[in-house]
Amino acid sequence: MSTKPTAATAAHWTVAIPNRDLLSALGPLPAGIRAVTWDFDGEPDGARLDEIDAVVLPYPDVAGMLPSLAKLKNLKLVQTQTTGVDGIAAAVGPDVAIASAAGVHAASTAELAVGLMLASLRGIDVAARDQLEGRWRHERRLSLADRKVLLVGVGGIGREIARRLEPFEVQLTRVGTHARDDSEGHVHGTEELQELAASHEVVVVITPLTEATRGLIDAAVLAALPDGALVVNVARGPVVDTDALTAEVVSGRLSCALDVTDPEPLLPDHPLWRAANALITPHLGGDSTAFEPRIVQLLKEQLAAVAVGKAPRNLVQPGRFGIGPT
């Protein structure tokens, strides 16, 4: 965290919090911080719109509320409760700082990713459906052990997924934006995805959604996967080409386990809902009992920082702070 005071961090900040429960959990507030509640409709409770310096976005759905940020003429900082910051920069412009909740969701999302792999490979989803019909069907299924796993995304959540996979005895290959070596070994670049796909049986997607990653797992990458391979997406739906994935899954050649989709949710008549080899969860990744205490702790640290003229953590757009990510 930067310790350099900046012109953007005034002695007094008025911060809009999305609900009273969260506001209560954040108390007592540091000196120099005034917090009010705002539901993104009408005036904040206890302040005028032009008095708001910072806003904490609600969780998890924010897309419909982003246009309301244009009403905040003196906005300096947007703090998300999500790891992703999709659409926020376009809504507020380059002069407003944007901080994510990176790290808060890492444990929950990583454990769901492993859970989806296990459930799909071992047929737990099939057994759950069979149970409703009183059907006993013994089959030999794939183990997670000995699978060749391609992990696309090596950020905070990617690191936690990799760490949780260690005791499962997988053969792990990591892919990042560009090829490099780090303390854990080699990271391949995204330009190698199609070649790597041909030799891997599980693909786990946990890369942020950007213009560079939209459609990253495309028809060519999916076609390169071997028959019977599993695609797990715990990132954002548009990182995977939905039409191409649907064609592969409905044909029976590939399986998928998705916590995110494009569109989200899928329309009721979408063929993936009825595909026997598709497992879909309703964007549960970061939303577990681990979320609330971790987001409260992060927000307390962010408020304490700006109250004394420091830059908050997890800046993905520095805005008027004039510094790089921290």
Side-chain angles (χ1 to χ4, degrees):
M1 182 183 295
S2 170
T3 59
K4 180 181 178 182
T6 71
T9 51
H12 297 279
W13 283 66
T14 298
V15 182
I17 307 296
N19 59 71
R20 291 186 177 276
D21 287 343
L22 182 55
L23 176 58
S24 177
L26 294 175
L29 298 172
I33 297 293
R34 175 173 68 135
V36 298
T37 56
W38 185 45
D39 63 1
F40 293 77
D41 185 23
E43 293 285 321
D45 183 10
R48 300 190 312 271
L49 287 171
D50 62 3
E51 294 180 288
I52 300 300
D53 300 295
V55 62
V56 176
L57 294 179
Y59 180 80
D61 298 319
V62 301
M65 301 179 182
L66 293 183
S68 296
L69 296 177
K71 302 175 184 177
L72 308 179
K73 301 305 181 184
N74 293 306
L75 185 64
K76 301 177 183 69
L77 171 66
V78 175
Q79 171 69 58
T80 73
Q81 296 188 64
T82 58
T83 303
V85 295
D86 315 345
I88 299 174
V92 300
D95 293 333
V96 177
I98 302 170
S100 77
V104 167
H105 304 278
S108 295
T109 305
E111 70 183 18
L112 181 66
V114 175
L116 288 172
M117 283 182 259
L118 287 168
S120 184
L121 291 170
R122 297 304 304 269
I124 296 172
D125 55 333
V126 175
R129 292 194 293 267
D130 285 348
Q131 179 181 333
L132 298 176
E133 301 177 3
R135 182 180 182 186
W136 178 279
R137 176 166 40 167
H138 178 91
E139 295 178 317
R140 176 170 290 175
R141 303 288 302 223
L142 292 171
S143 66
L144 182 52
D146 302 332
R147 291 308 102 205
K148 295 179 180 178
V149 178
L150 189 62
L151 180 62
V152 184
V154 292
I157 300 175
R159 287 192 297 271
E160 292 301 310
I161 293 173
R163 191 165 68 87
R164 282 160 176 76
L165 286 174
E166 287 177 4
F168 285 96
E169 303 175 28
V170 305
Q171 299 178 49
L172 184 66
T173 302
R174 297 177 302 146
V175 177
T177 305
H178 58 273
R180 60 192 184 276
D181 293 314
D182 62 17
S183 60
E184 304 301 320
H186 187 64
V187 177
H188 295 265
T190 53
E191 70 279 0
E192 302 175 70
L193 263 175
Q194 186 173 342
E195 179 182 356
L196 291 169
S199 59
H200 287 78
E201 302 149 305
V202 179
V203 177
V204 183
V205 185
I206 187 53
T207 185
L209 176 61
T210 66
E211 287 309 305
T213 63
R214 186 178 296 273
L216 180 65
I217 310 301
D218 59 12
V221 173
L222 294 170
L225 288 167
D227 291 354
L230 170 66
V231 178
V232 178
N233 190 2
V234 289
R236 288 292 186 268
V239 177
V240 178
D241 183 327
T242 298
D243 291 342
L245 179 65
T246 300
E248 293 279 16
V249 171
V250 170
S251 75
R253 200 184 76 81
L254 300 181
S255 296
C256 68
L258 310 175
D259 188 47
V260 291
T261 61
D262 181 29
E264 189 168 298
L266 294 172
L267 296 176
D269 62 349
H270 196 282
L272 282 179
W273 284 120
R274 288 167 294 282
N277 46 341
L279 172 59
I280 301 173
T281 54
H283 206 149
L284 302 174
D287 200 0
S288 74
T289 54
F291 167 69
E292 185 173 350
R294 296 177 190 220
I295 192 62
V296 168
Q297 181 59 38
L298 174 66
L299 293 177
K300 285 183 175 182
E301 292 173 3
Q302 303 291 67
L303 293 177
V306 298
V308 296
K310 297 179 182 178
R313 291 168 48 193
N314 299 340
L315 281 176
V316 295
Q317 176 168 293
R320 298 173 189 174
F321 283 99
I323 60 175
T326 58

